């Protein structure tokens, strides 16, 4: 089995089955690297089998806004008994757990840093996009 040489990182992978935890920006970027490798590899190298695991029902990671989320306890707690209770904090809109996004949040990074190279923000986007513009 041929190894994939990812020169920028100096990493050689012999694995062909890749599991990526999370479909946020980093998880999607990682999946893309492996998918691009599949598209450009020669026929001597078997393709990667890429699986992205996401606990919510949509991509976006922490940028997925959960407006009606409820948190039943604050962390840290002096007594850990509150953490052992089985609260179901899943958000009905996303099917996942609350994210730290709030209604008026904008990034602290400009669009040219936040965007993927071949998926730019629309020209009308503010320099520091809101959470709705990020997704």
């Amino acid at each position: 089995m041929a190894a994939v040489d990812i020169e920028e990182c100096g990493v050689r992978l012999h694995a062909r089955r890749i599991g990526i935890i999370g479909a946020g920006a980093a998880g999607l970027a990682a999946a893309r690297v492996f998918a691009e490798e599949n598209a450009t590899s020669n026929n001597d190298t078997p393709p990667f089998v890429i699986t992205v695991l996401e606990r919510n029902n949509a991509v976006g990671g922490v940028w997925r806004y959960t407006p009606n989320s409820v948190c039943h306890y604050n962390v840290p707690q002096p007594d850990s008994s509150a953490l052992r209770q089985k609260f179901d904090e899943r958000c009905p809109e996303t099917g996942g757990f609350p994210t730290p996004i709030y209604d008026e949040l904008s990034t602290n990074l400009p669009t040219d840093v936040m965007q993927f190279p071949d998926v730019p923000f629309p020209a009308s986007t503010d320099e520091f996009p809101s959470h709705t513009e990020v997704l």
Side-chain angles (χ1 to χ4, degrees), residues 27-132:
L28 295 175
R32 180 181 177 164
V33 168
F34 289 110
E36 287 174 351
E37 182 62 33
N38 281 346
T40 60
S41 66
N42 59 36
N43 291 336
D44 296 337
T45 305
F48 289 110
V49 176
I50 307 162
T51 303
V52 179
L53 304 168
E54 174 58 48
R55 70 178 175 177
N56 293 326
N57 60 8
V59 301
V62 297
W63 284 101
R64 179 63 51 195
Y65 181 46
T66 52
N68 298 321
S69 61
V70 177
C71 187
H72 297 284
Y73 52 83
N74 292 321
V75 177
Q77 289 279 339
D79 175 9
S80 64
S81 64
L83 300 177
R84 288 192 295 270
Q85 295 179 26
K86 298 197 184 252
F87 291 117
D88 185 354
E89 294 185 345
R90 288 176 290 191
C91 177
E93 287 87 359
T94 66
F97 292 87
T99 65
I101 300 299
Y102 51 92
D103 194 39
E104 299 299 319
L105 181 70
S106 294
T107 71
N108 61 349
L109 299 171
T111 54
D112 61 335
V113 174
M114 289 286 297
Q115 67 193 8
F116 285 101
D118 63 338
V119 185
F121 284 99
S124 61
T125 305
D126 289 337
E127 182 178 8
F128 296 94
S130 71
H131 69 85
T132 58

